[in-house]
């Protein structure tokens, strides 16, 4: 089976919605539709018909288009079982370790609490794609609105164990500001400095910085390196447990 065609659809001010299309069957899923209109336009431009809605978490900027898209296309909504009470009209709910068809391709579900307590991510191995909502960003991670540092660090540890070639399809274009923060705590990282310069070039040209690869994140994302002694020392937490280092990095980012 050929890999999915994945189309990035900008929405709201800085959200990314994703269309996943299987050319062989015509199956087409949308991940985290912040609003309906850009999705409808992107589908029409390609002659595709929506067959599925997929949600990673309950925030309105990830489910705001659900109702209109479901009404127009008559398609099922798949989302996190733990957020059943907070995402209306889901037709199928999934949790950690489940497998589910997304645009006809097998996806593994990972529970990734931290940003919200019921957040999930979808990994599609045959397309080297991870749809992680607001858990993991290019050079960052989501705000810890509902979970604990221990939960969030475990979630990130789970995701960083995926194959390094995995492409990271996250929920927002935050990469340039994330890079500025990363440099503030890891300024001696040559790979980070080179990546930050490329990010600046892309944004100046109006280009997206997403997807990144997990390999790039492992080298340059400070939130994935909370168990690196050098990172711990850089944030004044030498010898501390990784979860304490993560919490300190997140605290600094919150006030950056």
């Amino acid at each position: 089976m050929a890999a999915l065609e994945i189309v990035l659809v900008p929405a709201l001010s800085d959200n990314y919605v994703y269309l996943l299309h299987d050319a062989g069957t015509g199956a087409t899923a949308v991940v985290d539709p912040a609003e309906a209109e850009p999705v409808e336009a992107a589908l029409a431009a390609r002659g595709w018909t929506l067959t599925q809605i997929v949600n990673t978490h309950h925030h309105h900027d990830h489910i705001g288009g659900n109702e209109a898209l479901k009404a127009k296309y008559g398609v099922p909504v798949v989302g996190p079982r733990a957020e059943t009470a907070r995402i209306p009209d889901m037709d199928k709910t999934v949790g950690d370790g489940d497998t589910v068809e997304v645009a006809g391709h097998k996806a593994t579900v990972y529970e990734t609490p931290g940003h919200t307590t019921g957040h999930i991510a979808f990994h599609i191995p045959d397309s080297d794609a991870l749809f992680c909502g607001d858990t993991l960003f290019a050079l960052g991670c989501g705000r810890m609105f509902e979970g604990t540092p221990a939960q969030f660090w475990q979630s990130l540890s789970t995701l960083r164990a995926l194959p390094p070639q995995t492409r990271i399809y996250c929920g927002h274009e935050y990469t340039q500001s994330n890079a500025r923060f990363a440099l503030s705590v890891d300024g001696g990282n040559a790979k980070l400095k080179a990546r930050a310069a490329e990010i600046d070039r892309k944004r100046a040209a109006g280009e997206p910085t997403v997807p990144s690869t997990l390999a790039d994140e492992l080298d340059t994302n400070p939130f994935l390196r909370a168990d690196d002694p050098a990172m711990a020392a850089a944030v004044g937490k030498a010898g501390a447990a990784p979860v304490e280092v993560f919490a300190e990095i997140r605290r600094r980012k919150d006030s950056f």
Side-chain angles (χ1 to χ4, degrees):
M1 180 181 285
L4 287 164
E5 181 176 352
I6 300 171
V7 174
L8 181 155
V9 181
L12 302 177
S13 62
D14 53 32
N15 277 72
Y16 284 143
V17 178
Y18 299 103
L19 287 179
L20 286 57
H21 179 72
D22 183 274
T25 65
T28 305
V30 62
V31 178
D32 285 350
E35 52 185 340
E37 293 82 358
V39 175
E40 293 170 3
L43 289 165
R46 292 165 177 80
W48 296 348
T49 299
L50 191 66
T51 57
Q52 185 183 37
I53 297 168
V54 177
N55 293 141
T56 62
H57 66 293
H58 70 86
H59 286 160
H60 186 72
D61 65 333
H62 291 255
I63 69 168
N66 279 18
E67 184 178 6
L69 292 170
K70 183 171 184 174
K72 180 170 182 174
Y73 297 99
V75 297
V77 177
V78 179
R81 186 173 299 121
E83 299 198 349
T84 300
R86 302 198 283 184
I87 301 177
D89 299 323
M90 286 194 289
D91 300 281
K92 182 178 179 64
T93 60
V94 291
D96 198 55
D98 288 345
T99 57
V100 61
E101 295 280 311
V102 175
H105 289 238
K106 180 180 175 182
T108 301
V109 178
Y110 294 96
E111 290 182 357
T112 57
H115 181 66
T116 72
T117 52
H119 201 299
I120 58 175
F122 296 84
H123 178 231
I124 305 178
D126 71 14
S127 300
D128 286 327
L130 175 70
F131 297 90
C132 49
D134 290 356
T135 296
L136 174 63
F137 290 131
L139 282 177
C141 74
R143 284 186 176 270
M144 194 165 53
F145 287 127
E146 297 175 9
T148 66
Q151 286 177 319
F152 216 141
W153 173 243
Q154 180 57 54
S155 296
L156 293 176
S157 298
T158 296
L159 296 183
R160 74 175 187 171
L162 293 171
Q165 72 271 18
T166 302
R167 291 173 292 165
I168 309 300
Y169 291 94
C170 58
H172 294 269
E173 180 57 75
Y174 289 163
T175 318
Q176 195 168 38
S177 61
N178 286 345
R180 288 193 290 268
F181 171 74
L183 287 167
S184 78
V185 295
D186 195 20
N189 186 330
K191 290 181 178 179
L192 173 59
K193 287 189 281 189
R195 186 177 177 192
E198 176 63 8
I199 288 162
D200 287 342
R201 184 200 66 75
K202 285 186 172 182
R203 296 310 293 154
E207 299 173 10
T209 63
V210 176
S212 61
T213 66
L214 184 57
D216 285 342
E217 298 307 321
L218 291 170
D219 284 339
T220 57
N221 188 329
F223 293 97
L224 294 186
R225 296 175 52 225
D227 56 352
D228 181 338
M231 180 57 63
V235 296
K237 291 289 183 179
V243 66
E244 294 179 45
V245 179
F246 167 78
E248 175 63 15
I249 299 169
R250 185 62 259 175
R251 185 192 67 78
R252 291 184 179 212
K253 178 65 167 67
D254 288 343
S255 60
F256 183 72

